[in-house]
Amino acid sequence: MSELVKTKAIVLNKINFGDTSKISNLFTEDFGKIPVIIKGARSSKSKIGFIVDSINYVEVVLYKKETREIQISSQIDLIKYYQNIREDFDKLTYANAIIELLNNLLLENEPHKKLFYGTVRIFELLNESNENPKFLFTKYFLFLLKEIGYEIQTEICNSCGKKIVNEASFNYEIGILCNECCQDRLTNFNFNSELIKLLVCLRAKKKCTYKEEDLDYLIIFFEKFLSYNIQEFKGIRSLKF
């Protein structure tokens, strides 16, 4: 028997299904990522097709059945359309990168409430603030890694336990290494003192100073780190254009 439930969601993508419907991957507040058949979404007389556009923040009513792989909905309402994101190329690029990460990394039917509201928050910031979209994305990327179980610790050497003060290196298997411990080990990335400070600052709720090239370096590092740990992950295509 189906249970009628209501939940908030972020639209990840959509594809046509049948003559009048679409299948959409939704990142929901209560159920994590789930595929949903949105009835009537292809009808020219319906506004549902517009509502289930990627990035939109919505509220959806589901006829949810645990044994069903794809849930069914005939009612979906728009909570927020991020117009400023869609009108700014850089903001849209990084918003699409967030959507791509969620779509590729989240397992279905695993709730992530903290990540869900963190994602809603980053879209609000991208839409409303004048902060550099690349900086906001880098901060979110580090947060995402922690929430899906791949937190990167940068304060203490993972070999000797000493506090990282200035420069450091990173080994995919061991983690962060101080200058002494990295001498006889393979290192995949090197961090100067500015990068170390930036990584620490990205975790804190305070204003950071940074260089554009440092943000680029960290984004590449996060991608490579994920690719090493998740074989199926091939990088963020949205950022390659």
Side-chain angles (χ1 to χ4, degrees):
M1 178 178 292
S2 297
E3 177 186 9
L4 193 64
V5 296
K6 182 184 290 186
T7 187
K8 295 175 182 177
I10 296 165
V11 181
L12 301 180
N13 63 11
K14 63 181 179 181
I15 60 172
N16 292 336
F17 179 75
D19 294 329
T20 60
S21 302
K22 291 181 180 290
I23 294 178
S24 178
N25 270 331
L26 302 179
F27 179 26
T28 68
E29 174 189 9
D30 299 297
F31 313 109
K33 187 179 80 168
I34 57 172
V36 178
I37 296 175
I38 312 292
K39 291 188 174 181
R42 293 187 66 187
S43 172
S44 58
K45 298 180 180 180
S46 173
K47 295 181 180 179
I48 296 178
F50 161 77
I51 292 174
V52 292
D53 276 346
S54 174
I55 304 173
N56 283 354
Y57 184 29
V58 302
E59 186 173 67
V60 59
V61 176
L62 301 172
Y63 298 96
K64 194 171 189 302
K65 190 174 183 179
E66 295 298 331
T67 57
R68 188 161 52 208
E69 291 186 5
I70 304 179
Q71 304 304 325
I72 298 174
S73 173
S74 59
Q75 180 181 337
I76 183 166
D77 298 305
L78 184 66
I79 297 175
K80 187 65 177 286
Y81 174 82
Y82 299 105
Q83 183 171 347
N84 293 334
I85 291 178
R86 297 181 185 278
E87 292 178 350
D88 185 291
F89 178 80
D90 287 338
K91 290 184 176 185
L92 184 59
T93 295
Y94 289 106
N96 283 331
I98 290 169
I99 292 295
E100 186 180 341
L101 284 171
L102 294 171
N103 212 23
N104 290 338
L105 297 176
L106 294 183
L107 299 177
E108 291 185 3
N109 301 300
E110 287 193 4
H112 290 279
K113 282 203 173 185
K114 187 175 180 181
L115 179 58
F116 176 80
Y117 281 106
T119 305
V120 172
R121 175 61 178 161
I122 200 67
F123 283 153
E124 290 289 339
L125 288 172
L126 281 170
N127 194 64
E128 303 298 339
S129 79
N130 294 320
E131 186 67 81
N132 183 354
K134 187 187 294 184
F135 170 77
L136 293 175
F137 173 75
T138 309
K139 190 176 182 71
Y140 175 85
F141 203 165
L142 188 61
F143 163 73
L144 171 69
L145 289 172
K146 177 183 178 181
E147 292 305 310
I148 64 173
Y150 295 99
E151 183 175 11
I152 298 172
Q153 185 279 127
T154 57
E155 297 182 2
I156 297 174
C157 176
N158 283 343
S159 180
C160 69
K162 293 181 181 178
K163 185 177 180 179
I164 300 294
V165 180
N166 293 310
E167 297 179 351
S169 297
F170 193 89
N171 175 283
Y172 287 144
E173 293 186 0
I174 302 171
I176 201 79
L177 295 169
C178 66
N179 280 341
E180 294 180 6
C181 293
C182 72
Q183 297 301 317
D184 58 349
R185 290 179 172 88
L186 173 69
T187 57
N188 303 105
F189 277 86
N190 297 313
F191 299 98
N192 58 30
S193 58
E194 288 185 354
L195 281 166
I196 292 294
K197 290 177 182 177
L198 179 55
L199 279 166
V200 173
C201 186
L202 286 169
R203 293 191 177 90
K205 294 181 178 180
K206 60 181 182 180
K207 193 170 183 63
C208 301
T209 57
Y210 57 85
K211 299 175 182 176
E212 287 283 325
E213 55 264 34
D214 288 344
L215 296 178
D216 292 331
Y217 189 87
L218 289 181
I219 291 171
I220 292 171
F221 165 58
F222 296 158
E223 286 186 278
K224 297 292 185 182
F225 177 69
L226 268 180
S227 296
Y228 177 82
N229 287 282
I230 304 175
Q231 189 174 9
E232 295 80 11
F233 181 76
K234 305 300 182 184
I236 306 172
R237 295 178 61 188
S238 303
L239 301 183
K240 301 298 187 284
F241 299 99

